[in-house]
Amino acid sequence: VLVSGENSTITAEIYTTAETEETKKEIETAVASLNRTLPTYKRIVHVRFRDKPFEKTTTKKIKRQED
């Protein structure tokens, strides 16, 4: 999971090996549940699912995109 700020909103980008609609709905339900406990400015607005795993550094940390 990679969470970033995009256009003044928070976006979660998720890679999962279980590519079923049921899994995606479970993740979206978990995010909605989490959002109910967070203040408005900390809520995840968009959830994006990836087809490929994240690129990693030599220490196995997710590389962030530098724009």
Side-chain angles (χ1 to χ4, degrees):
V1 176
L2 177 69
V3 178
S4 62
E6 262 182 26
N7 301 325
S8 301
T9 63
I10 298 176
T11 300
E13 199 166 337
I14 301 170
Y15 169 74
T16 178
T17 55
E19 286 285 331
T20 64
E21 287 301 316
E22 183 178 317
T23 304
K24 289 180 180 180
K25 287 193 186 288
E26 286 177 14
I27 292 170
E28 289 170 348
T29 301
V31 169
S33 177
L34 173 67
N35 280 342
R36 284 191 289 276
T37 66
L38 295 173
T40 306
Y41 67 94
K42 288 187 177 182
R43 292 183 182 163
I44 298 170
V45 177
H46 302 286
V47 177
R48 200 178 301 143
F49 293 95
R50 294 176 55 104
D51 296 331
K52 298 179 184 178
F54 293 99
E55 187 177 344
K56 305 227 173 143
T57 64
T58 56
T59 58
K60 305 296 183 197
K61 295 179 182 177
I62 295 174
K63 279 189 177 179
R64 294 190 174 262
Q65 301 292 332
E66 295 293 328
D67 294 326

